[in-house]
DNA sequence: AGAATAGATTTGATCGATCAAACTACTATG
DNA sequence: CATAGTAGTTTGATCGATCAAATCTATTCT
């Protein structure tokens, strides 16, 4: 196969220099429009594409985002990460960015990967998912001046407004609150909450949503709410066991922090008790489980906007752009379904 | 932040030339071991990492594989792609390759993306998933001399042994045959098959597995088998409706081409009828559904082996390596569970 | 001893693009 | 009229690595 055309080839055909070709590509406004058209015709004629590696070498930008591919420990909810990744890839492409994957066994390994990819000039920025308390990854990235954005807010309280930490998150509080209110409006009076143990920021946030809705919509006392509140690790059988441990008749509906737990709740509680899950996974769709849907396309768009500004095609240096917003909280919405199962 | 060290910097510290440093990295054997150690010490001391863009520009290799991220139209079975991607990323990393994602709306759009990424020297090779009859993508890649491997065999009969088309696939015939034989061994006599309409190569292959097992393990006539065979689009409700259309008592077990269909079958057939699914998705695990597990790590390893040879770190030109194997069929295995549902 | 050979390392050129500065042609200004 | 200014374009240098060929050194052969 013949050598691919270069800027020089295009220039020769168009009767201009290589730099003018480069200008047509990168700063079209400074080129006389007549010349620009000649060059564009030559580009089309030769089927020219800029060589990504050469451009990256010169500009010191890779136009690539790194993102860790989670191992599928999440079970059913893995599709959330998957859908987010898809949305991110699509929208990044529109902005001229590529997505590069990596894996890591634990946070420290992940930091090692950051270092590798960063030093190799492989990526310009990282997108992190599943942040947690005192996340060492974000500390490292900030300390080493590597641009990044997280899907998930920083859960150490002080960090929420750290201008160096860009984040997008879904307002789980609002989502669970809406789900709970929906159940109350449908006639439930004692909505149980099936959540995660409280070391999870995300879980605590969703729990507050349930508690606030219950406090506002019922006359139950805090102590009574405590009895409706359960915490367990994620999983179908864990959900089932948790609901079985409740006294029958002590609750008439359940809100869960995940579809896995919700599926377990359905199995234990039977057809008469309405259940609402979280994440709107394919399973929820399959069995007719109402669930809180995270607007992942919006999250992806938000992440890119924080990194690149509303329209740009370049990663901004956040230390020099104090006016840009630093975080974004998007609202999920409840998808109501009628049960197909049991 | 200080400029990152280059080969020249390393050479200065080690007291050798830049090319020797390069040799230590790329052809360690030609460097005297004493010198090699000095250079390696300098590399460690400076924390040197080769610049990926510079290397790629010079070598004309990106050390990157492109893979399309499927939209989650697959519902429950999306996790298969996800797990494959994870295994691929991990093993590619071990071989010094990175994985770059892209999306496409249809096969022609995908071809356009191939062209873009290829011309930009962004990727060296592609990994394709979900091949189908007369796939235009593989034709294009072969015609344009772009290395690739597919997860899924080419379903046009002549193509199966095309030495230019590298492929890995899971032996669905064997998986479904094993599943069917298992049900027969457990006492079933009339195992129904819930498959896809016959324009799908994968589906046909799995159907043959069931038919062969039934022919070998029962004395049912072909006409009787026809009555146990169903075809429908994928989905839980489709599976449920298909099973409901069978006369009750006309079957005593079901094998399905997917976990989605299997879940539908369970809902329709009730607790007494054993059902086996395919893909071993998180849902199967959650509800205690037996299912055929695809060994995706093996598939990923096989894909890389076909592209790069058993140990290499470079993509081979398959036109010049007639001795390397061109495809690989891996055997899935049945995961037996006891039902947790209904 | 002198030449040939292999082993180890260095030097110059190059990959394809962009940056920075220089140049050209033409207009505006005192 | 000469000088400065500006828009548009070109030339030389550079990013960091590897390739190809040259150089140097030690060893072997006739």
């Amino acid at each position: 196969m013949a050598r691919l055309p270069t800027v020089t080839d295009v220039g020769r055909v168009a009767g201009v220099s290589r730099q003018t070709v480069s200008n047509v590509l990168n700063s079209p406004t400074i080129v006389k429009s007549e010349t620009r058209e000649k060059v564009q015709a030559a580009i089309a004629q030769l089927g020219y594409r800029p060589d990504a590696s050469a451009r990256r070498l010169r500009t010191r930008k890779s136009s690539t985002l790194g993102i860790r591919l989670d191992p599928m420990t999440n079970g059913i909810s893995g599709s959330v990460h998957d859908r987010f990744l898809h949305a991110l890839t699509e929208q990044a492409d529109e902005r001229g960015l590529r997505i590069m994957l990596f894996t890591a066994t634990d946070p420290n390994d992940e930091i090692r990967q950051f270092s590798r990819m960063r030093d190799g000039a492989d990526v310009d920025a990282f997108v992190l998912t599943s942040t947690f308390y005192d996340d060492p990854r974000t500390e490292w990235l900030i300390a080493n001046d590597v641009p990044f954005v997280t899907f998930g807010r920083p859960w150490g309280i002080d960090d929420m407004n750290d201008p160096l930490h860009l984040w997008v998150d879904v307002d789980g509080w609002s989502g669970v609150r809406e789900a709970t209110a929906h159940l109350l409006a449908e006639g439930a009076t004692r909505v149980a909450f099936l959540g995660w143990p409280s070391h999870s920021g995300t879980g605590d946030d969703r729990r507050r949503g349930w508690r606030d809705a219950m406090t506002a919509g019922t006359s139950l006392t805090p102590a009574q709410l405590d009895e409706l509140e359960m915490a367990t690790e994620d999983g179908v059988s864990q959900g089932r066991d948790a609901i079985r441990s409740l006294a029958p008749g002590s609750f008439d509906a359940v809100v869960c922090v995940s579809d896995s737990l919700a599926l377990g709740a359905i199995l234990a509680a039977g057809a008469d008790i309405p259940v609402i899950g979280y994440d709107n996974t394919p399973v929820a769709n399959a069995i007719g489980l109402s669930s809180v849907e995270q607007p992942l396309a919006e999250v992806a768009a938000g992440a890119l906007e924080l990194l690149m500004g509303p329209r740009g095609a370049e990663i901004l240096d956040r230390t020099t752009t104090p006016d840009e917003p630093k975080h974004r909280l998007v609202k999920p919405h409840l998808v109501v379904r009628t049960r197909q199962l049991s």
Side-chain angles (χ1 to χ4, degrees), chain A residues 80-338:
Chain A
V80 172
H81 187 267
D82 203 36
R83 279 161 56 213
F84 172 62
L85 195 55
H86 193 269
L88 187 68
T89 304
E90 242 170 18
Q91 306 201 26
D93 187 62
E94 282 166 18
R95 293 218 189 200
L97 290 186
R98 263 131 267 133
I99 303 288
M100 183 165 284
L101 296 178
F102 65 99
T103 60
T105 53
D106 58 73
N108 285 323
D109 186 36
E110 190 168 354
I111 288 174
R112 228 168 295 131
Q113 304 284 356
F114 290 158
S115 174
R116 277 208 326 165
M117 300 181 78
R118 166 67 188 197
D119 290 352
D122 263 321
V123 303
D124 290 335
F126 290 95
V127 178
L128 306 202
T129 54
S130 339
T131 51
F132 47 88
Y133 283 117
D134 296 325
D135 200 322
R137 303 173 302 166
T138 55
E139 286 173 28
W140 187 93
L141 290 166
I142 290 174
N144 290 78
D145 202 29
V146 179
F148 71 96
V149 58
T150 64
F151 173 11
R153 54 207 114 151
W155 291 106
I157 303 154
D158 314 349
D159 303 333
M160 279 277 284
N161 295 310
D162 185 340
L164 294 177
H165 185 158
L166 309 178
W167 58 263
V168 194
D169 206 356
V170 173
D171 189 348
W173 176 85
S174 159
V176 172
R177 187 166 146 281
E178 184 189 345
T180 308
H182 174 83
L183 289 168
L184 292 174
E186 296 272 298
T189 56
R190 302 177 59 87
V191 181
F193 178 79
L194 190 44
W196 293 317
S198 74
H199 48 71
S200 139
T202 320
D204 295 347
D205 186 49
R206 296 181 192 171
R207 171 179 296 111
R208 276 189 294 274
W210 164 77
R211 235 183 147 93
D212 289 351
M214 289 298 280
T215 306
T218 72
S219 49
L220 296 176
T221 64
Q224 288 175 309
L225 287 181
D226 288 346
E227 283 173 22
L228 287 169
E229 176 182 323
M230 327 222 52
T232 176
E233 295 298 328
D234 202 57
V236 175
S237 51
Q238 285 87 343
R240 194 192 47 209
D241 296 347
I243 292 297
R244 281 191 183 147
S245 75
L246 280 180
S250 65
F251 65 99
D252 54 12
V254 189
V255 180
C256 307
V257 284
S258 78
D259 280 356
S260 302
L261 287 173
L263 181 53
I266 288 177
L267 298 180
D272 303 336
I273 304 282
V275 174
I276 297 186
Y278 199 103
D279 279 344
N280 194 26
T281 58
V283 188
N285 182 43
I287 64 177
L289 166 68
S290 297
S291 190
V292 177
E293 154 98 354
Q294 307 204 44
L296 297 171
E298 237 180 283
V299 173
L304 293 178
E305 214 161 297
L306 292 177
L307 278 175
M308 313 174 78
R311 298 237 127 262
E314 297 223 333
I315 309 246
L316 305 171
D317 181 352
R318 63 196 172 297
T319 60
T320 64
T321 55
D323 297 338
E324 300 287 336
K326 305 300 183 200
H327 51 74
R328 172 177 302 194
L329 198 57
V330 304
K331 270 208 176 9
H333 69 276
L334 179 63
V335 177
V336 178
R337 295 197 179 85
T338 45

